[in-house]
Amino acid sequence: MPLKVAQDENLNLNLTPMIDVVFLLVIFFMVATRFTEAERNIELELPQVPAAGEAAAPIKPRVITVTNEGQTLLDGEPVAIEELTTRLADEVRRSPDVQVVINGDARTPFQAVAAALAACREARVEDLGITVELAAKAGSTIR
């Protein structure tokens, strides 16, 4: 049985949606071009930064370590609390954005860590951090 294929001679293609899309694209590009011209006409004096190779080095924080015996170390060097206060105060006078991190051993008496905190406060250190480790116990939650 031969198949007969009927051809519809009135095949119409609706171009209206395509014309709408092209029209919207033309409007978009016209408006976008106007924005870039307006930005070029704004007179700005841009801030200057050092060249990419000359970027300022990030500030390395000073590290105060309180050992389990209560000994205080500043960047690995043993210091007394009074000397710690003096050295930090001198550094704050030279550069007010001094960063200090306190590492306290969990087995040390808290008084030794509190003395280091008091030395930082007396030296007027504003950027101060304390390192801790979160306990990973089964079923525990942090509130």
Side-chain angles (χ1 to χ4, degrees), residues 27-94:
I27 291 175
F28 172 76
F29 286 119
M30 288 173 49
V31 170
T33 304
R34 294 291 303 158
F35 284 148
T36 57
E37 287 176 14
E39 287 176 358
R40 278 188 236 139
N41 294 334
I42 297 174
E43 293 183 25
L44 290 178
E45 184 176 329
L46 297 175
Q48 296 180 359
V49 296
E54 301 173 12
I59 298 171
K60 183 179 178 191
R62 303 296 305 262
V63 178
I64 299 173
T65 305
V66 182
T67 64
N68 61 349
E69 294 90 24
Q71 183 181 19
T72 305
L73 309 170
L74 178 61
D75 294 329
E77 180 184 322
V79 293
I81 292 296
E82 297 79 23
E83 183 184 356
L84 176 66
T85 304
T86 306
R87 288 172 70 176
L88 289 176
D90 290 342
E91 195 159 338
V92 167
R93 268 188 240 108
R94 282 186 304 230

